[in-house]
Amino acid sequence: MRLNSLVKPLLITGFMLAGTAQAAPDAREVLEASPVDDIVAQYPEMMSRGIQDGLKQSGQVPPMVADSIGFLVSNSFRAADIEQRVVANLEAALTSEQLEEVHGWYQTPVAGKIAEAEIAASAPAAWPEIRSRAEDLNKRYQGTAREKLFDRFDAASRATESAVDTTIAVQLGLGTAMAALSRDSVHHEKMRERLESQRPALRGMVGQQVYDGYLFTYRDISNQEMNLYLDFLESEAGRSFTRVVTNSVQQAVIEPVESIGARLAAFGNFGGE
């Protein structure tokens, strides 16, 4: 056999394999194409600010203590660790075809526009505007197609479900921390049972916050664009991607909060007797 006749098909095969490798993105490439990595990068500040605001509004501890707890929380999270967990779980749970489908969606102009809106709205700096515009946006969209699309969005994105689970877990972690600070003997399981009994009420409150955020985030997205987004979220690849991302982030958020009680106890009872 002539050498050239052997080299040519090998070269062609090599190019085909190279093309195939390039066309099949890995989990990290998919994450980078999505808004998830940009949103995760804000999580340390998001968790710190959210817990600080919650403690100050509840009056459970003095403002200085709330700030100290917020500082501990922000230093308990590393965006890189959360991203690593998401990537590993995506690699384990999604097929190469599903990763490719998700990556393909995020290459579209509509997905890019929606991703920018989600990243901007997730920033803690945007929270005051979301709250201040909530009443106006609720009135503006009452009875409209955008309001009716929310149930579909919420089911596909698991937004309220995930937010309620995370809120209960964070409250449980902080409740344990407060008990450690005050040397209270409240049992962990009793605290969990009490919080779980409040789930229906909590779902109503959190659900309204999720709806307010939905109206604000997608206010410049047309209904046609929202329907395209929902079609993606409801697809097999979209559902798998959303499930893995939300579960991974939730786990990465809850674990550090659960360990804060022991760290706070080391500071002594600075909340007062």
Side-chain angles (χ1 to χ4, degrees):
M1 180 180 294
R2 292 174 58 190
L3 182 61
N4 286 346
S5 64
L6 177 63
V7 170
K8 188 174 180 179
L10 285 175
L11 286 174
I12 293 173
T13 303
F15 283 127
M16 290 176 62
L17 289 174
T20 302
Q22 187 176 9
D26 61 21
R28 184 164 295 280
E29 289 174 315
V30 171
L31 195 66
E32 290 173 354
S34 79
V36 174
D37 61 331
D38 293 285
I39 294 173
V40 164
Q42 302 181 95
Y43 256 86
E45 183 182 359
M46 289 166 64
M47 291 299 298
S48 176
R49 180 79 65 85
I51 288 174
Q52 281 180 352
D53 290 351
L55 289 173
K56 288 177 180 179
Q57 289 172 11
S58 69
Q60 288 179 278
V61 295
M64 182 183 70
V65 177
D67 290 338
S68 298
I69 293 174
F71 177 79
L72 279 177
V73 170
S74 67
N75 283 277
S76 298
F77 294 93
R78 288 184 69 250
D81 293 339
I82 301 176
E83 283 190 29
Q84 186 175 353
R85 182 189 292 253
V86 174
V87 168
N89 289 344
L90 285 173
E91 288 176 345
L94 270 66
T95 65
S96 58
E97 290 80 9
Q98 289 175 325
L99 289 173
E100 187 170 357
E101 186 175 335
V102 174
H103 189 267
W105 158 254
Y106 282 114
Q107 299 303 306
T108 66
V110 171
K113 181 180 178 181
I114 291 173
E116 287 183 8
E118 291 177 338
I119 293 167
S122 67
W127 296 353
E129 186 179 2
I130 294 174
R131 287 192 290 265
S132 67
R133 297 190 59 179
E135 184 177 355
D136 174 64
L137 289 174
N138 272 260
K139 289 179 180 177
R140 182 188 307 178
Y141 290 109
Q142 186 174 7
T144 66
R146 181 54 54 95
E147 180 186 53
K148 294 172 184 175
L149 281 175
F150 175 71
D151 287 342
R152 186 179 166 198
F153 165 82
D154 197 32
S157 66
R158 303 173 66 232
T160 299
E161 175 191 354
S162 177
V164 170
D165 288 342
T166 301
T167 299
I168 288 177
V170 169
Q171 286 188 356
L172 180 61
L174 287 176
T176 303
M178 294 299 100
L181 273 177
S182 62
R183 300 185 180 91
D184 197 335
S185 59
V186 176
H187 195 275
H188 184 84
E189 285 306 315
K190 288 184 178 179
M191 191 179 299
R192 182 186 295 276
E193 290 173 5
R194 185 172 73 243
L195 287 170
E196 284 293 341
S197 71
Q198 297 170 357
R199 181 179 284 270
L202 190 60
R203 181 176 179 81
M205 181 183 70
V206 171
Q208 182 60 51
Q209 293 174 349
V210 170
Y211 181 62
D212 294 343
Y214 157 83
L215 293 181
F216 179 86
T217 301
Y218 305 109
R219 65 195 185 282
D220 295 325
I221 306 298
S222 71
N223 286 339
Q224 182 181 11
E225 291 168 331
M226 279 300 297
N227 275 296
L228 289 173
Y229 185 33
L230 292 175
D231 287 343
F232 162 71
L233 291 177
E234 291 168 343
S235 69
E236 185 177 350
R239 286 198 309 270
S240 297
F241 179 75
T242 301
R243 183 188 69 252
V244 171
V245 168
T246 54
N247 288 346
S248 301
V249 171
Q250 190 174 41
Q251 292 166 5
V253 164
I254 290 170
E255 289 172 3
V257 173
E258 289 179 338
S259 69
I260 286 174
R263 297 176 63 187
L264 282 173
F267 282 85
N269 191 11
F270 55 93
E273 292 290 335

